[in-house]
Structure formats: C-alpha cells, structure tokens
Amino acid sequence: MLSERELAFIAIHKNSYPSVFRFVRRRVESAEIAEEIAADVFRVVWQKWDDNSQPDIPYLLTVARNLVGNAYRSRDRQQALQEKLRTTAVERFGDDSENVVVQDAMARLREQDRDILQLAYWDGLGSTEIARVLNCSESAAKVRLHRARGAFRKQMPAGVETTTHKMGV
C-alpha cells in the first residue's frame, strides 16, 4: 500500500512532468538529455520535499533550470578535457598521428559510447566489470560495447585499420 506522501508525489509527477519536460527540452540539445534532467528534477523534489508544502510548477522549473545549468557546466568541462587531451596528443605525436585520429574519433562519439570504450580500453575492464560499473547485466554491457565499437569504426577515417585492429574494434 502506498503512503499518502507517495500518492501525492505520483499525482504531482503525473500533472507536472509534461511541463517540466517541455521546459528542459527547449534548453538542451536532445530529448534523451531532457528526459534524464526531467527525471532528476523529480528525484530532487522527492529528496527535498517536506510534508508541509506541495511543490508547484515554479519550484519544479527552478530545480530544472539549476539542473540544466549543471548539465551545461559538466558538458563544458568534458569538452575542455577532450580538447586538452587532443592538444597533448598533437604536441607529443604530431597532427597526423594515430593518437590524434583516435582522439578526434572519440570526441565525435556519444558520451555513452565514449565512456564504455574508455572503460574497456583505457581502464582495462572486462565485460563483467563494465556491467558492474554501468549497473547493467553482462550481456547488456557486451551489446553496448559492441555498438560503441561500431560507432567508433564509423568515426575513423578510411585507411586507419591498424589502430582499430589494435583496439580490437
């Protein structure tokens, strides 16, 4: 049996989610990111909600705006790190090296694909360990890694088979 608080939260979520999602969607680049942020809004509301007040739309949108700002800052830090890694590779190995080509291909991948490839190749994790990190089944981790490898291959320029072969991609 659900508590009164849980029932109230479900009602708030049902009535407010579309507005929160639309608000977030107008501010981020993809529906997938908007869904994640909108879900986070309600996670935050659940965690901070006291029984004396009902969160209204302005409060929910304020939480959403803050989470969108956090997402932008996180994205900017990630892009700065990718640029720093690329610059370091250019300085150490030259503009046309395989290292720079790999950095460029990785930068063009979706974050999820980049993360799983880094877990596999930079961190040296197997599918069982990747599954634990990603909190999914081992078979799901294998499928995600397979798809990420395919996406990586598509990002690599023609004639760079040696790098992708070395990586097992």
Side-chain angles (χ1 to χ4, degrees):
M1 188 84 186
L2 296 175
S3 71
E4 199 173 303
R5 181 176 190 251
E6 291 169 327
L7 291 171
F9 181 79
I10 290 169
I12 290 167
H13 184 274
K14 181 181 177 189
N15 294 333
S16 305
Y17 183 86
S19 297
V20 171
F21 177 79
R22 282 191 307 271
F23 176 87
V24 173
R25 182 63 185 105
R26 288 191 307 268
R27 288 159 175 80
V28 297
E29 55 270 3
S30 74
E32 181 180 83
I33 293 171
E35 287 173 3
E36 288 179 25
I37 292 174
D40 277 348
V41 166
F42 289 95
R43 179 190 51 80
V44 168
V45 167
W46 176 257
Q47 290 172 340
K48 294 187 176 195
W49 186 16
D50 63 11
D51 293 331
N52 299 327
S53 65
Q54 288 270 86
D56 57 3
I57 290 292
Y59 175 75
L60 295 172
L61 298 184
T62 299
V63 172
R65 184 178 48 123
N66 292 338
L67 291 174
V68 167
N70 291 346
Y72 279 132
R73 285 185 290 280
S74 177
R75 183 204 60 202
D76 292 346
R77 283 191 303 272
Q78 180 70 27
Q79 287 174 344
L81 175 61
Q82 292 297 325
E83 186 57 36
K84 183 177 181 179
L85 290 172
R86 186 184 193 289
T87 301
T88 301
V90 168
E91 289 172 357
R92 289 182 75 192
F93 304 108
D95 229 357
D96 296 328
S97 76
E98 286 182 349
N99 291 331
V100 174
V101 171
V102 168
Q103 286 293 333
D104 290 344
M106 291 290 284
R108 289 188 296 271
L109 292 175
R110 291 180 324 140
E111 184 178 351
Q112 295 90 337
D113 292 339
R114 188 172 43 247
D115 286 346
I116 198 164
L117 289 173
Q118 289 172 339
L119 288 170
Y121 296 104
W122 275 283
D123 299 319
L125 300 183
S127 56
T128 303
E129 296 150 325
I130 291 171
R132 287 180 52 205
V133 171
L134 299 178
N135 198 24
C136 65
S137 69
E138 185 175 352
S139 59
K142 287 178 181 178
V143 168
R144 290 179 191 179
L145 183 57
H146 175 75
R147 289 179 180 160
R149 286 175 176 150
F152 178 78
R153 268 194 304 277
K154 288 178 183 175
Q155 295 300 325
M156 292 296 287
V160 190
E161 290 84 22
T162 58
T163 300
T164 56
H165 182 69
K166 284 183 215 172
M167 290 180 66
V169 180

